[in-house]
Amino acid sequence: MKQWFRSRASDCRRRPDCAGQYPDAVMTSTLLSRAVSGAADPPLLPLPDRVAELLSELGSPPRLAAHLRAVHDVAHRLVDWLERDYRLVVFDREAVLFGAATHDVGKTLHVAELSGPGAAHEEAGRTILLGRGVGPELARFAATHASWADPGVGLEDLLVSLADKVWKNKRVPGLEDLVVARLAEATGRAAWEEFLALDEVLSDIGAGADERLAFQAAFPIDG
């Protein structure tokens, strides 16, 4: 995918009608490529190719791509932990990762919500994904990532919401209690035991929050 971005940018540079008249497009493509898959400190997994292509097609602000990459990386850590320590817990790993990588895609339309409050991006994100052929079972995360207390929310939704908070070391007790309850139900252990286990992994992830925040802040909103 990095090569795909470079190819697009290189093609544009070689075309007088593009590189000469639209230098901002070349710069934005380069920044978006770096946000999606470039070197990062701390090291972050690149966004999936499917998501990278979508963000390029939508003209995503580089900062949004950087944010999605950080949350996607944290989601990876959460699902790896669950698969290692909670084999009795049934969940859809790939759905969580896709949801984390696309949860804020609606901010490609509602760019102001990248730097200020607002929820218009939530339903807009689901609409964008559905319109791009993404099934409702995956598109839903764009709309549910801030609605973890709603009836019918699954463990996958809770994990996406959790990744979207703990990437910057924000702890939300009500959200964490819901995750703990799902874990205790699956394992039969006491809730306090599950909380201690969750707290340990969230504290470890949270320790890298400043570096992830700096990575996101290094990219502009307007390209």
Side-chain angles (χ1 to χ4, degrees), residues 27-28 31-32 34-35 60-66 111 114 215-223:
M27 179 62 72
T28 298
L31 288 170
L32 187 58
R34 285 173 48 204
S60 170
R63 185 171 296 178
L64 173 59
V111 179
L114 273 170
F215 170 77
Q216 175 181 286
F219 293 91
I221 291 176
D222 57 9

Side-chain angles (χ1 to χ4, degrees), residues 140 144 147-158 161 178 182:
R140 76 177 195 265
T144 65
S147 306
W148 54 82
D150 287 357
V153 167
L155 178 58
E156 293 84 0
D157 303 86
L158 296 177
S161 298
L178 292 171
R182 300 297 179 94

Side-chain angles (χ1 to χ4, degrees), residues 18-205:
C18 178
Q21 298 180 36
Y22 306 107
D24 290 346
V26 176
M27 179 62 72
T28 298
S29 176
T30 301
L31 288 170
L32 187 58
S33 174
R34 285 173 48 204
V36 163
S37 59
D41 183 19
L44 298 172
L45 292 169
L47 284 170
D49 286 356
R50 180 185 185 186
V51 176
E53 291 175 10
L54 173 66
L55 293 178
S56 179
E57 292 168 2
L58 293 172
S60 170
R63 185 171 296 178
L64 173 59
H67 170 68
L68 294 175
R69 184 176 174 189
V71 175
H72 172 258
D73 186 83
V74 167
H76 254 281
R77 295 181 63 175
L78 290 174
V79 298
D80 285 349
W81 166 68
L82 279 177
E83 289 187 336
R84 184 186 70 241
D85 294 353
Y86 288 88
R87 296 185 179 181
L88 293 177
V89 175
V90 178
F91 70 100
D92 187 333
R93 173 190 176 93
E94 295 307 315
V96 174
L97 296 178
F98 184 84
T102 59
H103 71 281
D104 272 349
V105 71
K107 290 183 180 180
T108 58
L109 289 179
H110 300 280
V111 179
E113 293 184 13
L114 273 170
S115 56
H121 72 277
E122 294 166 12
E123 194 55 48
R126 172 157 51 190
T127 300
I128 288 171
L129 293 174
L130 291 173
R132 297 274 172 163
V134 176
E137 72 283 357
L138 293 178
R140 76 177 195 265
F141 297 103
T144 65
H145 64 274
S147 306
W148 54 82
D150 287 357
V153 167
L155 178 58
E156 293 84 0
D157 303 86
L158 296 177
L159 292 172
V160 171
S161 298
L162 192 60
D164 189 35
K165 296 302 180 184
V166 76
W167 80 276
K168 57 184 177 181
N169 201 26
K170 183 174 183 178
R171 303 291 296 267
V172 183
L175 171 58
E176 293 175 21
D177 288 346
L178 292 171
V179 176
V180 165
R182 300 297 179 94
L183 299 181
E185 181 181 3
T187 64
R189 293 194 292 261
W192 68 266
E193 292 183 77
E194 302 304 353
F195 172 76
L196 290 177
L198 179 64
D199 181 66
E200 182 177 4
V201 71
L202 295 185
S203 295
D204 183 56
I205 292 172

